[in-house]
Amino acid sequence: MNDSDSDDDNVIRYGTPLEPFEEDELPSKRKFQQPSDQYAVDSHGRRRFHGAFTGGFSAGFGNTVGTQEGWTPASFKSSRSEKAQLSSQKAEDFMDDEDRSEFGIAPRHMQTQHEFSGQKRKLQQRYHDGPIPGEPVLERLLKAVHETAAVRMLRAMGWRPGQGTGDRVTRAEKLRAKQQHKVYGCYMPQEMKPTQDPASDNDSSDSDFDYETLFAPDDYEPYILSHKSDKFGLGYSGLSRHSVLGTLMGEYGSDASSSRSHLVMKEKGKKVSIRGHAFGVGAFEADDEDIYAAEDMSHYDFTLGAATEDKQKKKVKEMGVNVLEGYVRASKPLPQVPFYPPPALPKDYKPAAAGSRRSRFEPSDQPQRDQGLGRHELTAEARGSLLGETPVPKVPDTTTQPNMPPTEDPIAKLLGRNVNFVSNSDDKTELDYIPIKDSEKPISKVFRPFMNNPKKQKRYELYLKDRDSYMKEGDAEMDRLSEWERNREIVEFEQAAKLYKPLTGVMSDRFTHASEPDEALNPLCAVAKSSTNYGLATPEQIDAAKRGLFGVMTRREVPWRPESLVCKRFNIPEPGGARPEATKEDKPKVSYSIFSYLESSVHDKDSFAKEQSKFSGSKSLNTPNTSKEQDKSIILTASTVNEYNKKDNKTASEIKESHTGFTKRLTVAELFLKESEKDLKDKEQGIEVTETIDKFDKMDLYKAIFLSDSEDEVTSNTEENRDSTNTNEFIDVPKNVQRNTSPPRGIFANIDFDELNSWKRNTDNKQTNEKEAASSANVTDNANVASKDVNIDNIQVIEETYGPKIPDNIRKKLEGDNKSEDSNLKPVFRSQSERDKEILEIDSSSSSDSWVEVKSKKEKKKKSKKHKSKHKKSKHKKKSRS
Amino acid sequence: MNVMTELTTLTTLKCKQQAIRAVRFNIDGTYCLTCGADKKIKLWNPHRELLLKTYGGHANEVLDAAGSCDSSYIVSGSADKSVILWDVTTGQPIRRYRGQASSITCVRFNEESTMAVSGSIDNTVAFWDVVSRRQEPVQLLKDAKDTITSIQVTDHEVMTTSVDCHVRLYDIRVGKMISDYIGDVITYGSMTHDGQCYILSCSDGTIKLFDKDSGELLNTFKGHESSDYLLENAVNEKDSHIISGSATGEVFYWDLISSSCTQKLVHTTNKPTISLSHHPTENYLLTACEDEIKLWGVRREEN
């Protein structure tokens, strides 16, 4: 054929060729096994395991009964020659050999008969009917120790306990036997053995036993139990380094062949050892190397040679001296019994006779030592120095100036004078506190919060002294601080003043002056009545009361705010109108702790402010005055507003609702209101009042009332608004806030807004030029904007029922117009009179007006706008409506 | 005086309440409440000498009580720091208010009995909403610097007297608090029926009549002995006489205008008559002394 064939012919092959090895292929760990090798066979070469279909485990033909027939029911045969025998069947009859083997289900093993096992056969217990029925108690308590049969036999043969077994030997023989000692287990190292001097040994004994006597051989040495020195259970060896499954690398006998598991147990004299890994190795798998074996450095020898061994040997040899016969010197010294020294006697201990008891109430000659760690013996300075603090330089105290009149002391004022805590005068030495004077007595100390910054502390004190003037002027040092810093510091001071207002101040409204000092010794002594209470009354008041001049002198009026619920329950309208915040603080926390009472006076702002005002001076009652002023202003505003109300009923009602009532909290709004009124007076146009008002504070109310139904809708007209405001850069009413910026859709799609806007821009620009005051311009602009929205107004006329009814014919017309436009236009609030005018104008204007016409009219409009916004409105209306 | 006919003891009730801390007529004067040191409140018909009900539930002495305008509720304040609202017919406490830190010394309903006002030794006056289930006070007045001794509630005002020598008038209608320094510890304050005057019992043994609007002293009534007792006062139904108990066990009647003592009733000699209550419309007076209350009135001719 070809070359290759010829090559093949030339080569002679033996055996089966290896499979071609491919480099890509990973060499499989498992070797290829012949199919025949894949069956496990028993010792007879029979297959051990069968598949489930062939009978399962060691069952079926071939290895069950051992016959071809297998299990065949035995037929009963009985003939004359062969009589049928009663055969009893045993379980073993149905077992294989393997079952009886070591691993079988009924392994056979040798065992001592029960009668030789040392257990006495239980006699049939027969309890005689004595006075005490049942098993005799004594019999239960005492149980005879039975010797095994072997022991009994040995005894019979002349063996005595303590002797060895075997033939009797002569002494010489015995000695010899001792020399070549038979050791069970392993030999003791030769060196460990006590170096017996056989000569000396012989000397003593030879004299006694000259004659030929036979001795029983020595008993084998009993196993010496090691001294147990730990507290673990018997047999416990601590955590060994051996893994349960593996052996230690380098351990004795850990070579591959004889790898011993620790799972070796002795069972009734027979060793059963489990080899290999629990389930990891199959019947045909070669044992892996011990994968669980752990290496340990202690198994390595780090030294060269046998030097250490020698040393040990020497040591052992030395130790072996002076040991009693029959004893082995302990390799380990006995654990030392720990030695506890007796407790040291206290220095001041005096041994006293046990009988003489000392009463603890007897006065001791020793000075009483302070309880605790003696911290209290130290002064603050000493403690500070111990802690390594640098002592703070003494601040020249501004508040402790002796010439300062006590009533002007700010802190005293702040705290109130009705404080019952008396401090010693030597407190002045302490650094951390500002002594406070009250009626010639330093009554309290205020913590200095800004200790580490003396300057700041100084400023703080100044602040406390006179808040207002400090805020206004500051002091020389303040100039160095920036405005922002200053403001921050003031806030900080405020907080600190609140926070470090001492307890006395906090409790000031809970306590009054003690008119007399408490008698410490006799708590039961009656305290005199405090008929003169200076807690609140000013000296003037007291004086007036003494002279019987009651009235103005003794009277004080303070604004007081009843809770809304109180008013409700008393059926009284709330003074000052409804509070907007009332709903928020609807649910105050309830706590009955004492702290709530303590803190309440400081932590709510009102009371704090009240406190301040209360103590801000007896000469002038600031708060009532200011409140009166406010009252006046409010009345003023209310009255002015009322003027406009006549013109515009709706507006008036609106304003009344929000503003006629007097509240302190509305001051800002009121200020605005006043301003707006000024503007209005200038212009003498009362109509736009609402538009200025709504700018300021009642946005939400306004919205809620007027913008509610069309708030999210966007109209061309709001866009106009937006544009106008943008160009004018005015802060406008929030109508435009929710403006939709998307391009016009639907019916608006065809309207040229740009053009409209451009027109508007022009007008607005002009407007701004003409108007000087921004606010007034704003007002008019708003009005202007409103005026442009004719369609909106129309809707408003229809929807809102204020004012007189619109004639039906007009309404129809308007409705028709609205249908073409968007019906959801945002209504802009305008006064009724305005609207009435518009209606009239609408009436007069022809419906045939077109967009083109509007453009042509633009010029005219601009001119007219200069003079009157009202006038121009009507014209715009016409334009946009048509 | 011809106006004042002689008052005599009509009935005497032994309350068996250890000591009567307060005796109060109800709204129309047919019943009365006695607050005892035995922690109980008793409802009586003093005219018929009938004990109607006993209200137990306080943990300490009951110091004051008041009946509602429809006589269906009682509000009481006790030394156990709680205010209890009672149902008159069942005798069960409906609500218990624990918002004040110390003993409740005085308690009142407002005109429509929708709100209870209590004063305490902790210097506060608390408004309790009786209608809702709210447990915390609707409002706390913390102006007083000492124990509140008495409260009077009108349709739009709350008057409080305090040991700090001040009488305070909270005007709900105006939103104002007017405080008057009296110069003496006020043990009890009441108002005349026309609402124009304060009648203030002071611890210096006087009763002072003040004009409410101006705060001026109108009259001073003396003669009784106050010692250290928190003597109460009252004004008769015609606003013609001021009535006060005394430490001596007498009850004084003064003419409001002339400030002359017109009548002295002896309850129990040398036992302080502290609490008293005048019938709102008729000439009846209830006085309490120890555990005994007496109803005084004009004995009719036919009796």
Side-chain angles (χ1 to χ4, degrees):
Chain A
M1 306 212 306
N2 18 14
D3 284 81
S4 61
D5 277 320
S6 62
D7 276 349
D8 282 343
D9 291 338
N10 296 333
V11 178
I12 303 156
R13 287 187 180 119
Y14 297 98
T16 49
L18 285 168
E19 277 179 47
F21 175 75
E22 284 174 36
E23 287 193 355
D24 313 348
E25 216 174 276
L26 283 168
S28 64
K29 208 177 176 185
R30 277 171 177 260
K31 283 171 214 156
F32 174 74
Q33 283 178 320
Q34 295 291 321
S36 57
D37 293 338
Q38 292 181 0
Y39 300 106
V41 287
D42 62 5
S43 50
H44 298 292
R46 292 177 300 201
R47 200 172 150 186
R48 264 196 83 189
F49 303 114
H50 301 267
F53 299 107
T54 53
F57 177 76
S58 291
F61 165 72
N63 51 3
T64 49
V65 204
T67 55
Q68 191 86 20
E69 290 80 30
W71 296 100
T72 44
S75 54
F76 181 78
K77 269 186 200 169
S78 184
S79 61
R80 210 176 294 165
S81 55
E82 295 175 68
K83 286 286 179 191
Q85 286 173 334
L86 266 177
S87 61
S88 61
Q89 290 175 326
K90 292 180 287 180
E92 283 81 1
D93 293 341
F94 303 96
M95 285 183 186
D96 290 334
D97 300 336
E98 290 164 358
D99 293 337
R100 271 169 247 140
S101 72
E102 190 185 1
F103 303 106
I105 52 171
R108 280 196 189 162
H109 58 272
M110 301 293 283
Q111 197 180 11
T112 46
Q113 287 279 345
H114 184 72
E115 52 188 308
F116 300 109
S117 67
Q119 303 292 86
K120 202 182 174 187
R121 203 190 312 147
K122 273 241 169 160
L123 292 169
Q124 195 110 41
Q125 296 284 350
R126 201 174 284 168
Y127 311 119
H128 39 225
D129 306 325
I132 306 162
E135 193 186 356
V137 184
L138 195 65
E139 204 161 307
R140 262 200 291 180
L141 290 173
L142 305 172
K143 278 203 170 137
V145 177
H146 296 285
E147 289 171 328
T148 56
V151 172
R152 268 188 279 137
M153 279 160 70
L154 277 170
R155 276 187 194 284
M157 288 157 73
W159 173 80
R160 293 288 171 273
Q163 291 176 345
T165 52
D167 295 332
R168 298 198 154 237
V169 287
T170 56
R171 186 179 165 73
E173 279 173 331
K174 205 177 170 183
L175 268 174
R176 230 179 295 129
K178 210 175 240 175
Q179 239 101 50
Q180 33 173 280
H181 200 286
K182 201 179 182 185
V183 173
Y184 300 89
C186 59
Y187 270 98
M188 243 185 183
Q190 198 62 39
E191 295 76 27
M192 288 284 285
K193 274 190 182 171
T195 45
Q196 288 178 352
D197 206 342
S200 63
D201 207 348
N202 285 341
D203 285 342
S204 57
S205 55
D206 274 344
S207 55
D208 298 334
F209 309 103
D210 277 339
Y211 45 90
E212 278 286 311
T213 329
L214 291 171
F215 292 97
D218 282 338
D219 204 358
Y220 70 91
E221 276 181 40
Y223 180 69
I224 297 166
L225 295 161
S226 62
H227 177 80
K228 183 160 174 60
S229 57
D230 55 15
K231 287 168 189 162
F232 298 113
L234 278 175
Y236 178 77
S237 60
L239 281 175
S240 78
R241 279 178 268 108
H242 305 279
S243 75
V244 181
L245 299 167
T247 50
L248 262 177
M249 294 286 269
E251 209 189 5
Y252 302 119
S254 71
D255 40 321
S257 60
S258 67
S259 77
R260 254 187 304 156
S261 167
H262 293 274
L263 297 176
V264 177
M265 53 179 169
K266 271 192 171 176
E267 190 192 296
K268 290 170 184 172
K270 195 182 65 187
K271 230 166 136 188
V272 174
S273 75
I274 301 161
R275 287 192 60 194
H277 307 288
F279 305 101
V281 184
F284 300 104
E285 280 184 331
D287 273 3
D288 264 335
E289 49 184 326
D290 193 354
I291 51 167
Y292 298 105
E295 281 211 66
D296 195 274
M297 291 306 276
S298 64
H299 294 283
Y300 291 94
D301 192 5
F302 290 100
T303 51
L304 292 171
T308 47
E309 260 179 59
D310 287 339
K311 261 185 203 168
Q312 271 187 347
K313 276 175 203 165
K314 272 176 200 165
K315 241 187 194 170
V316 169
K317 262 183 193 170
E318 279 167 32
M319 279 163 63
V321 206
N322 298 326
V323 175
L324 279 174
E325 200 188 350
Y327 289 89
V328 177
R329 187 160 202 138
S331 58
K332 272 190 274 177
L334 279 171
Q336 285 269 326
V337 178
F339 171 75
Y340 301 105
L345 288 173
K347 271 181 195 171
D348 49 355
Y349 172 73
K350 279 179 197 163
S356 66
R357 281 190 67 177
R358 249 180 81 116
S359 164
R360 61 197 158 120
F361 301 111
E362 272 176 47
S364 67
D365 35 36
Q366 229 89 45
Q368 195 84 38
R369 218 183 59 140
D370 255 4
Q371 291 282 321
L373 303 169
R375 290 184 289 233
H376 309 290
E377 291 158 0
L378 297 170
T379 60
E381 282 90 342
R383 250 177 282 136
S385 64
L386 277 177
L387 290 166
E389 287 172 358
T390 48
V392 181
K394 249 190 179 178
V395 185
D397 238 327
T398 50
T399 50
T400 48
Q401 286 164 14
N403 54 356
M404 197 192 284
T407 46
E408 277 178 22
D409 194 295
I411 300 158
K413 261 188 233 163
L414 182 80
L415 303 175
R417 262 159 275 106
N418 47 351
V419 185
N420 200 8
F421 299 96
V422 180
S423 65
N424 298 325
S425 55
D426 50 27
D427 279 337
K428 276 176 189 171
T429 51
E430 282 187 59
L431 278 171
D432 299 9
Y433 298 95
I434 310 166
I436 296 166
K437 285 190 175 174
D438 178 50
S439 58
E440 293 100 49
K441 273 185 284 177
I443 49 141
S444 182
K445 303 174 283 183
V446 176
F447 180 68
R448 295 171 164 184
F450 305 108
M451 270 268 290
N452 46 8
N453 191 345
K455 278 183 186 171
K456 199 174 182 183
Q457 175 65 30
K458 212 172 175 181
R459 266 178 273 147
Y460 175 59
E461 280 158 26
L462 272 173
Y463 168 82
L464 283 182
K465 231 199 274 177
D466 199 347
R467 236 163 255 238
D468 297 328
S469 67
Y470 180 82
M471 298 245 220
K472 275 173 214 155
E473 301 148 23
D475 60 338
E477 277 183 74
M478 284 303 284
D479 299 338
R480 272 171 242 155
L481 298 169
S482 71
E483 188 67 24
W484 181 79
E485 272 179 308
R486 224 189 115 182
N487 286 337
R488 261 200 69 182
E489 203 172 68
I490 283 170
V491 172
E492 208 177 324
F493 285 167
E494 238 171 75
Q495 299 242 320
K498 266 187 224 175
L499 197 67
Y500 297 110
K501 201 178 147 192
L503 189 67
T504 53
V506 173
M507 306 276 273
S508 63
D509 58 348
R510 308 271 157 218
F511 294 96
T512 58
H513 253 301
S515 56
E516 280 180 23
D518 283 347
E519 255 195 89
L521 293 173
N522 182 13
L524 292 174
C525 81
V527 179
K529 273 182 289 175
S530 60
S531 55
T532 48
N533 192 309
Y534 300 99
L536 283 167
T538 57
E540 288 90 353
Q541 282 188 335
I542 293 160
D543 190 47
K546 267 181 192 162
R547 286 186 288 153
L549 296 170
F550 293 100
V552 190
M553 296 286 274
T554 56
R555 173 156 286 203
R556 269 180 69 210
E557 281 189 24
V558 179
W560 168 72
R561 173 102 212 179
E563 287 288 321
S564 57
L565 189 58
V566 174
C567 296
K568 201 174 157 189
R569 295 276 180 261
F570 274 78
N571 268 340
I572 294 165
E574 244 185 285
R579 252 191 298 194
E581 308 97 305
T583 46
K584 278 177 204 167
E585 50 191 28
D586 214 356
K587 282 256 168 182
K589 277 182 212 160
V590 200
S591 73
Y592 298 116
S593 84
I594 186 76
F595 296 107
S596 66
Y597 289 95
L598 297 183
E599 287 165 8
S600 60
S601 58
V602 186
H603 287 304
D604 62 52
K605 221 175 176 180
D606 290 3
S607 67
F608 187 71
K610 211 189 287 167
E611 200 102 323
Q612 272 179 260
S613 66
K614 201 184 291 161
F615 298 115
S616 61
S618 51
K619 300 152 239 165
S620 61
L621 296 169
N622 293 329
T623 35
N625 288 345
T626 50
S627 69
K628 268 177 193 169
E629 271 178 7
Q630 279 169 340
D631 256 336
K632 271 180 198 168
S633 71
I634 289 306
I635 291 158
L636 195 86
T637 54
S639 62
T640 43
V641 168
N642 276 331
E643 280 177 26
Y644 305 120
N645 288 352
K646 284 166 198 165
K647 292 178 187 173
D648 190 338
N649 289 330
K650 202 175 76 178
T651 331
S653 65
E654 168 55 28
I655 296 163
K656 226 176 191 176
E657 232 179 73
S658 54
H659 289 290
T660 44
F662 153 60
T663 343
K664 251 186 177 178
R665 292 158 206 246
L666 293 174
T667 45
V668 182
E670 285 151 16
L671 278 171
F672 277 115
L673 234 167
K674 262 194 239 172
E675 264 182 55
S676 69
E677 275 160 17
K678 269 180 208 166
D679 292 336
L680 290 165
K681 274 176 193 168
D682 293 341
K683 289 198 291 173
E684 296 194 322
Q685 281 185 343
I687 314 148
E688 279 104 352
V689 181
T690 47
E691 279 168 20
T692 40
I693 288 164
D694 66 30
K695 234 183 288 173
F696 300 121
D697 63 332
K698 292 294 169 185
M699 296 297 192
D700 293 353
L701 190 63
Y702 175 83
K703 265 189 178 176
I705 294 168
F706 299 106
L707 309 177
S708 57
D709 31 0
S710 59
E711 216 165 25
D712 36 6
E713 247 44 55
V714 177
T715 61
S716 61
N717 157 35
T718 47
E719 296 212 10
E720 278 178 3
N721 265 346
R722 161 55 54 97
D723 281 22
S724 71
T725 48
N726 283 348
T727 47
N728 287 337
E729 292 180 345
F730 287 148
I731 306 151
D732 207 1
V733 277
K735 289 169 202 163
N736 302 332
V737 172
Q738 286 173 309
R739 191 179 73 113
N740 189 354
T741 51
S742 60
R745 287 161 298 189
I747 46 166
F748 298 108
N750 295 325
I751 298 168
D752 190 0
F753 283 108
D754 283 345
E755 194 163 317
L756 286 173
N757 291 337
S758 66
W759 165 81
K760 199 178 179 312
R761 238 170 260 136
N762 290 337
T763 57
D764 287 335
N765 286 338
K766 230 181 183 180
Q767 212 178 331
T768 40
N769 293 335
E770 282 155 12
K771 304 271 175 180
E772 315 88 11
S775 58
S776 63
N778 189 16
V779 171
T780 44
D781 185 52
N782 288 336
N784 199 9
V785 166
S787 69
K788 282 167 204 160
D789 318 324
V790 184
N791 38 11
I792 293 151
D793 290 331
N794 295 342
I795 290 160
Q796 207 179 0
V797 168
I798 295 155
E799 286 176 353
E800 296 177 42
T801 54
Y802 307 100
K805 214 177 168 186
I806 308 158
D808 276 0
N809 57 340
I810 296 166
R811 187 185 285 173
K812 271 175 198 169
K813 203 165 55 177
L814 291 171
E815 273 169 3
D817 286 337
N818 289 333
K819 269 168 198 168
S820 63
E821 293 279 351
D822 194 345
S823 58
N824 279 326
L825 294 175
K826 190 181 275 185
V828 172
F829 171 71
R830 284 185 311 139
S831 68
Q832 193 198 317
S833 53
E834 213 178 331
R835 265 186 277 121
D836 290 347
K837 274 180 192 171
E838 283 161 22
I839 292 155
L840 288 172
E841 278 161 3
I842 288 159
D843 214 358
S844 60
S845 66
S846 66
S847 58
S848 60
D849 282 350
S850 65
W851 288 93
V852 188
E853 274 179 45
V854 170
K855 269 186 184 174
S856 64
K857 278 179 187 173
K858 223 189 281 175
E859 292 306 308
K860 242 191 256 172
K861 268 172 224 159
K862 276 178 199 167
K863 276 171 200 164
S864 62
K865 216 187 293 165
K866 281 175 205 168
H867 312 292
K868 264 193 180 180
S869 59
K870 268 185 221 166
H871 185 67
K872 126 198 99 178
K873 267 173 217 162
S874 60
K875 289 189 176 172
H876 294 166
K877 231 174 285 156
K878 274 181 221 160
K879 175 216 84 181
S880 56
R881 192 167 46 85
S882 50
Chain B
M1 285 233 4
N2 50 358
V3 181
M4 281 296 300
T5 40
E6 277 296 309
L7 289 168
T8 49
T9 309
L10 297 178
T11 55
T12 304
L13 298 171
K14 281 274 179 190
C15 298
K16 294 172 188 166
Q17 282 184 287
Q18 294 172 19
I20 306 297
R21 297 297 181 208
V23 59
R24 301 280 180 255
F25 263 117
N26 79 326
I27 189 85
D28 60 353
T30 41
Y31 307 104
C32 77
L33 293 163
T34 56
C35 308
D38 67 342
K39 310 168 190 175
K40 293 200 168 55
I41 304 158
K42 284 184 176 176
L43 176 68
W44 306 83
N45 186 331
H47 305 284
R48 295 195 189 172
E49 300 181 56
L50 278 176
L51 172 64
L52 300 171
K53 198 111 190 156
T54 305
Y55 302 91
H58 271 298
N60 211 334
E61 295 188 17
V62 187
L63 299 180
D64 198 4
S68 70
C69 60
D70 56 354
S71 293
S72 59
Y73 296 107
I74 293 167
V75 69
S76 64
S78 158
D80 67 358
K81 306 171 191 174
S82 71
V83 174
I84 291 183
L85 181 74
W86 305 87
D87 188 69
V88 169
T89 46
T90 60
Q92 292 301 307
I94 297 168
R95 282 192 234 307
R96 185 175 206 137
Y97 301 108
R98 290 192 194 82
Q100 281 168 308
S102 194
S103 302
I104 312 295
T105 52
C106 45
V107 65
R108 284 287 178 280
F109 267 120
N110 72 336
E111 203 179 36
E112 294 185 352
S113 303
T114 49
M115 190 152 262
V117 187
S118 67
S120 165
I121 290 181
D122 75 345
N123 311 352
T124 62
V125 175
F127 287 79
W128 306 99
D129 189 10
V130 170
V131 179
S132 71
R133 290 185 170 274
R134 190 163 153 163
Q135 279 295 310
E136 61 270 16
V138 175
Q139 189 164 20
L140 264 182
L141 310 178
K142 292 178 184 166
D143 301 289
K145 302 292 164 196
D146 213 331
T147 305
I148 308 292
T149 50
S150 72
I151 294 175
Q152 298 297 338
V153 183
T154 67
D155 57 343
H156 68 282
E157 291 160 325
V158 177
M159 185 197 85
T160 67
T161 61
S162 170
V163 178
D164 67 357
C165 312
H166 282 262
V167 57
R168 291 181 178 79
L169 187 79
Y170 298 89
D171 197 328
I172 299 165
R173 211 155 53 182
V174 183
K176 209 158 49 166
M177 190 270 279
I178 302 162
S179 68
D180 281 313
Y181 177 70
I182 301 304
D184 233 303
V185 173
I186 308 159
T187 60
Y188 193 83
S190 60
M191 288 167 96
T192 51
H193 288 99
D194 60 358
Q196 293 302 308
C197 303
Y198 304 139
I199 306 155
L200 305 175
S201 294
C202 297
S203 64
D204 62 345
T206 59
I207 291 170
K208 293 190 173 87
L209 184 73
F210 277 89
D211 184 55
K212 193 181 83 179
D213 293 330
S214 64
E216 283 162 10
L217 180 67
L218 299 175
N219 224 334
T220 308
F221 307 95
K222 286 176 197 165
H224 63 298
E225 195 181 310
S226 71
S227 299
D228 279 341
Y229 297 105
L230 289 171
L231 293 184
E232 293 177 1
N233 63 49
V235 64
N236 74 342
E237 80 282 359
K238 291 170 189 159
D239 279 349
S240 60
H241 286 81
I242 304 275
I243 312 154
S244 173
S246 167
T248 53
E250 291 159 308
V251 178
F252 285 73
Y253 269 75
W254 290 279
D255 188 79
L256 189 129
I257 309 297
S258 65
S259 76
S260 58
C261 179
T262 56
Q263 199 172 353
K264 270 188 204 173
L265 313 173
V266 179
H267 192 288
T268 313
T269 321
N270 285 328
K271 289 198 173 158
T273 310
I274 293 166
S275 185
L276 49 84
S277 179
H278 197 273
H279 193 285
T281 50
E282 283 170 59
N283 194 9
Y284 287 111
L285 181 73
L286 273 172
T287 57
C289 179
E290 292 202 324
D291 72 335
E292 191 179 75
I293 57 168
K294 276 185 178 172
L295 178 71
W296 305 83
V298 183
R299 201 174 286 278
R300 289 180 192 165
E301 297 308 314
E302 56 263 41
N303 288 353

